[in-house]
């Protein structure tokens, strides 16, 4: 598959969601689009089993970035793409954080640090039941300030959960500013290694590197974390690496600039 083309189409779907809703966390979603594109369309998850009990589990721990996951799930056939146009609106299944009422969502997330904890349960269940499915978690680097993340990391290593892969969306920002201005978390590689995890590093926007990392993770004899270096707001020039864009959607003339960057007409954001 042409992962670059798919990711670009997914970004357009995400932009449509924010154009119609006028609210939500756009920049965190754009940060992890390429990670989810690789997971679902790069032959990483067990595609043919994705609707069965033996499916690989994919959990978005940084739940506020759910627009990226919604766009991917719709493209992967979990629900009609038309539902994307209801994002963050009344009576929608596509709220501002993931809910299990939506097909393809394994658990509700939003309280940071909880998704990875839930994931240790699904990974342990697979091990105890002698099932082959894997558990994947996408979490934020700002989320790594939560103590529960490290409790889960210690538990997973202690239980030998080699069927668990965590991807840290390392964009260097959190809700209000840069991580280093609040509570620095580096060196993440050394920290995860000290908890007994295999650590891989790559660009979170380079599909060759992402595919290589996911492939290596399947070969490890311990839980693996992929530190994926990303740009928050990727694909919208004035939102990239800009703390002001954590929890807002573009307005007015900002949409004109986005449409210019994507070479589309604004009307194209109103329909699929």
């Amino acid at each position: 598959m042409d992962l670059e083309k798919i990711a670009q189409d997914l970004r357009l779907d995400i932009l449509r969601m924010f154009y119609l809703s006028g609210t939500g966390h756009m920049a965190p979603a754009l940060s992890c689009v390429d990670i989810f594109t690789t997971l679902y369309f790069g032959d990483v998850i067990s595609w043919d089993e994705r609707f069965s009990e033996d499916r690989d589990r994919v959990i978005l721990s940084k739940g506020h970035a759910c627009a990226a996951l919604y766009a991917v799930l719709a493209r992967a056939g979990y629900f009609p793409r038309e539902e994307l146009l209801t994002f963050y609106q009344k009576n929608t299944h596509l709220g501002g954080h993931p809910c299990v009422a939506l097909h393809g969502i394994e658990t509700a997330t939003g309280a940071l640090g909880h998704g990875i904890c839930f994931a240790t349960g699904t990974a342990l269940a697979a091990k105890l039941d002698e099932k082959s499915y894997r558990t994947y978690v996408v979490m934020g680097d700002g989320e790594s300030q939560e103590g529960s993340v490290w409790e889960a990391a210690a538990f997973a290593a202690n239980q030998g959960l080699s069927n668990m892969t965590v991807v840290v969306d390392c964009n260097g920002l959190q809700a209000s500013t840069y991580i280093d201005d609040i509570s620095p978390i580096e060196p993440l590689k050394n920290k995860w290694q000290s908890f007994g995890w295999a650590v891989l590093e790559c660009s979170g926007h380079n599909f060759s590197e992402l595919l290589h990392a996911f492939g290596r993770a399947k070969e490890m004899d311990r839980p693996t974390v992929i530190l994926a270096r990303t740009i928050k707001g990727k694909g919208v020039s004035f939102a990239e690496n800009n703390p002001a864009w954590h929890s807002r959607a573009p307005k007015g003339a900002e949409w004109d600039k986005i449409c210019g960057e994507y070479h589309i007409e604004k009307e194209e954001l109103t329909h699929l």
Side-chain angles (χ1 to χ4, degrees), residues 83-240:
E83 285 196 41
L84 296 177
L85 304 181
T86 71
F87 174 66
Y88 231 124
Q89 299 176 46
K90 187 176 181 180
N91 297 324
T92 185
H93 286 136
L94 280 63
H97 290 84
C99 174
V100 292
L102 186 69
H103 192 38
I105 302 297
E106 298 290 346
T107 185
T109 55
L112 297 179
H114 287 192
I116 185 175
C117 296
F118 180 89
T120 61
T122 63
L124 180 60
K127 181 180 179 181
L128 294 175
D129 293 339
E130 298 183 343
K131 297 287 187 177
S132 61
Y133 68 80
R134 300 182 60 83
T135 293
Y136 294 93
V137 185
V138 177
M139 58 173 286
D141 48 356
E143 185 177 0
S144 300
Q145 294 168 340
E146 296 283 358
S148 55
V149 168
W150 301 105
E151 293 179 65
F155 178 82
N158 178 266
Q159 296 296 317
L161 301 182
S162 58
N163 57 351
M164 181 175 176
T165 300
V166 168
V167 186
V168 182
D169 180 359
C170 297
N171 58 46
L173 290 100
Q174 55 187 90
S176 58
T177 187
Y178 298 96
I179 290 173
D180 286 348
D181 293 338
I182 301 296
S183 181
I185 56 173
E186 295 290 355
L188 274 181
K189 179 179 181 179
N190 293 349
K191 288 178 180 177
W192 281 96
Q193 285 177 333
S194 72
F195 274 77
W197 286 58
V199 181
L200 304 172
E201 296 184 275
C202 70
S203 164
H205 302 304
N206 184 302
F207 292 111
S208 294
E209 292 186 21
L210 282 165
L211 287 168
H212 180 70
F214 279 120
R216 286 195 61 198
K218 291 181 180 181
E219 301 169 354
M220 298 296 180
D221 61 355
R222 68 188 79 176
T224 301
V225 60
I226 300 171
L227 302 180
R229 306 296 176 179
T230 61
I231 299 171
K232 195 166 184 175
K234 173 72 172 176
V236 174
S237 62
F238 51 85
E240 289 187 350

Side-chain angles (χ1 to χ4, degrees), residues 35-124:
I35 295 169
F36 277 117
T37 299
T38 308
L39 266 171
Y40 281 85
F41 302 108
D43 198 28
V44 176
I45 67 165
S46 53
W47 181 263
D48 292 338
E49 302 293 337
R50 68 189 187 282
F51 301 128
S52 77
E53 285 299 314
D54 292 325
R55 68 192 180 280
D56 287 335
R57 273 56 170 173
V58 179
I59 296 160
L60 174 62
S61 196
K62 47 175 273 183
H64 55 282
C66 57
L69 181 55
Y70 294 159
V72 169
L73 291 177
R75 291 268 172 169
Y78 288 81
F79 57 86
R81 281 184 64 221
E82 288 73 19
E83 285 196 41
L84 296 177
L85 304 181
T86 71
F87 174 66
Y88 231 124
Q89 299 176 46
K90 187 176 181 180
N91 297 324
T92 185
H93 286 136
L94 280 63
H97 290 84
C99 174
V100 292
L102 186 69
H103 192 38
I105 302 297
E106 298 290 346
T107 185
T109 55
L112 297 179
H114 287 192
I116 185 175
C117 296
F118 180 89
T120 61
T122 63
L124 180 60

